Amino acid sequence: MNRTSFNYLIGLSLTLGLFLSCGNKPKNTNYDYEKAAEAFYADESYYPILDELLGVFQPLHAVGELKPIYTNEEEAMTKLMKNETWLAFTSRNFSEKELKNLKDRRFLPRSIQIGYDGLAIIVNKENTDTCITVKDIKRILKGEVKNWSEVYPKSKLGLIDVVFDNPKSSTVRYCVDSILGGQPINSENIGAVKTSKDVIEYVERHKNSFGIIGSNWLNDRHDTTNVTFNKAITVMKVSRLDSATATNSYRPYQYYLYNGNYPLIRHFYALLNEPRSGIPSGFAHFCRLPKGQLIIFKAGLMPIQGDMEIREVQVVKE
């Protein structure tokens, strides 16, 4: 599986996305309600959880079928702004310009936050360095360091081969906005495949790889405690401090999303612009209702509602 360079593409996509979603008020406000109500668009990194939510929601609401279309975050927002869908799932809220654009066209956009997930850093199983700082992640993305030995002096893995899911995904946007403070990703060592699944497979095959992926792709569905990640790769521990150790670094487990110890936390939104209360609105609100929130919780993400019971457990080795 090949990856492609995307430094140019990410700069282009951010500019194009801004133009499409925040431009002047369109003259033609006509829309095809029924066609737009047939499907929702979602960033592909949320496929596992949305697939589970839709699988429970659909049989309970037999009045019509809602089709999921998994793409990148930019396209999902573009479809929503063009009234080609009434529902988009993203890791960001509407911008002020997007809200104004929709309200100027006499729509009533609604934002429903339904949970949190973590942005996970994954490496090959043969990589023995399993803790990293946010500062070093930033240095890698900016191109300030290009070899593993520049982060871990004893490493012999050579070039850091960074791989994303898609140049226009929520994962890339989060790195630009939240890790780099709006500065562009700037390294020839960075590329993209097509999907989150592809990132996992790429990292599994390449010893020097460094993957960035939404954490809900990593949970072992057979583990009801949500503390087992995909065993084919290693999920790195991440620290806010300047030096990462086993005691000050954390993986994106549910509890560390809950207490804020994990530093790379994303919001999970359902963005609505439906002029009626149809199936898209019903599914968006279902994700926020107790049954939907329980599905999110069992999948290893952090639901926006509900109390989490914390118990301290002492493990004794005999």
Side-chain angles (χ1 to χ4, degrees), residues 66-77:
L66 186 62
K67 178 183 176 182
I69 299 177
Y70 297 106
T71 179
N72 57 72
E73 187 174 76
E74 181 184 312
E75 183 181 6
M77 287 302 302

Side-chain angles (χ1 to χ4, degrees), residues 241-258:
L241 303 181
D242 288 341
S243 178
T245 66
T247 56
N248 68 20
S249 305
Y250 304 90
R251 291 188 174 97
Y253 292 131
Q254 206 166 40
Y255 176 61
Y256 297 137
L257 300 179
Y258 172 76

Side-chain angles (χ1 to χ4, degrees), residues 33 64 80 86 110 190 210 227 232 249 262:
Y33 174 82
L80 187 67
W86 303 122
R110 288 95 73 201
I190 298 177
F210 181 93
V227 295
S249 305
Y262 190 70

Side-chain angles (χ1 to χ4, degrees), residues 8 22 28 30 37 42 74 84 86 88 97 100 126 132 147 165 167 174 190 224 241 248 254 262 269 288 294 305:
Y8 170 75
C22 305
N28 187 352
N30 293 330
E74 181 184 312
E84 295 179 17
W86 303 122
K97 290 184 178 180
K100 184 179 186 304
E126 294 193 33
I132 192 167
N147 291 282
D165 48 356
Y174 179 95
I190 298 177
T224 58
L241 303 181
N248 68 20
Q254 206 166 40
Y262 190 70
Y269 291 99
R288 181 82 180 227
L294 182 60
Q305 295 185 12

